[in-house]
């Protein structure tokens, strides 16, 4: 399977709504990575929502029954569809799930708080946050990466990150926490993905 160039990977990540947060870098590229071992490692993390798991293949029942249910903006080499509130991106050939996401627009503080509470209940304490609008969980081969490990790793600029969960809100999370009556509305989305797995499954147009 064709490996995409780094620039293609960045374009694919942007299209999927995922960009690695500042300061959260994957382990340096040391050459070819065994795909089967990577898939096994990512799947073992058991990260996902609604029956979908990163690194697991879609079943026949999970695939949309109507071709029109597939979204036209899928990156070449992938399929993209929505199941209820969840969006799913998978490799077109192998059905391997590459990203799971959810997006809500024009929502108030209560919805953002609900999403944050759901993710914290599901994934535990976040690894880090940034800019007051972004919170993320990072996972390595041994599981969740805590904040202390993250802070220590910033000294050498690299972490062995297999997958991430990220929530981003256009509303300030500090404002939401401090003002229960906040009337401002905005967009909130979260995405679960593995950049290292994704790079094996996006092909050039």
């Amino acid at each position: 399977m064709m490996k995409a160039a780094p620039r293609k990977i960045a374009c694919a990540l942007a299209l999927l709504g995922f960009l690695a947060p500042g300061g959260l870098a994957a382990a340096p590229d040391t050459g070819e990575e065994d795909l089967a071992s990577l898939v096994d490692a990512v799947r073992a993390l058991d990260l996902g929502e609604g029956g979908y798991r990163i690194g697991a293949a879609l079943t026949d029942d999970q695939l949309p029954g109507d071709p029109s249910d597939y979204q036209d903006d899928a990156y070449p080499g992938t399929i993209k569809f929505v199941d209820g509130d969840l969006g799913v991106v998978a490799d077109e050939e192998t059905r391997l799930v590459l990203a799971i996401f959810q997006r809500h627009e024009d929502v108030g503080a209560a919805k953002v708080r609900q999403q944050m509470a759901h993710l914290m209940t599901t994934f535990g304490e976040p690894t880090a946050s940034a800019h007051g609008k972004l919170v993320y969980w990072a996972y390595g081969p041994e599981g969740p990466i805590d904040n202390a490990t993250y802070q220590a790793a910033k000294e050498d600029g690299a972490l062995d990150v297999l997958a991430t969960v990220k929530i981003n809100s256009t509303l300030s999370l500090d404002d939401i926490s401090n003002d229960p009556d906040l009337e401002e509305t905005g967009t909130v989305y979260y995405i679960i993905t593995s950049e290292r797995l994704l790079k094996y499954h996006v092909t050039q147009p």
Side-chain angles (χ1 to χ4, degrees), residues 139-203:
Y139 290 81
E142 304 304 319
I145 297 172
D146 61 28
N147 183 259
T149 302
Y150 163 74
Q151 294 295 340
K154 287 176 68 175
E155 297 297 323
D156 57 26
L159 283 172
D160 189 5
V161 178
L162 284 176
T164 56
V165 179
K166 182 186 75 169
I167 182 170
N168 197 325
S169 169
T170 60
L171 301 179
S172 166
L173 298 176
D174 291 335
D175 289 347
I176 290 171
S177 298
N178 297 328
D179 183 2
D181 299 318
L182 184 70
E183 295 183 358
E184 185 180 357
T185 62
T187 297
V188 60
Y189 73 89
Y190 71 84
I191 185 164
I192 308 167
T193 195
S194 167
E195 181 176 347
R196 283 162 61 179
L197 187 57
L198 179 66
K199 76 178 184 179
Y200 280 89
H201 295 271
V202 290
T203 59

Side-chain angles (χ1 to χ4, degrees), residues 10-29:
C11 292
L13 291 170
L15 183 61
L16 296 179
F18 172 80
L19 289 174
L24 183 61
D29 186 3

Side-chain angles (χ1 to χ4, degrees), residues 49 102 104 108-126 135 137 165-169 173 176-177 188-190:
E49 290 273 21
Q102 189 172 137
H104 297 281
K111 183 63 177 181
V112 179
R113 281 194 292 267
Q114 179 189 58
Q115 293 288 74
M116 274 297 303
H118 168 68
L119 293 179
M120 291 187 70
T121 299
T122 303
F123 302 107
E125 287 294 320
V135 178
W137 294 252
V165 179
K166 182 186 75 169
I167 182 170
N168 197 325
S169 169
L173 298 176
I176 290 171
S177 298
V188 60
Y189 73 89
Y190 71 84

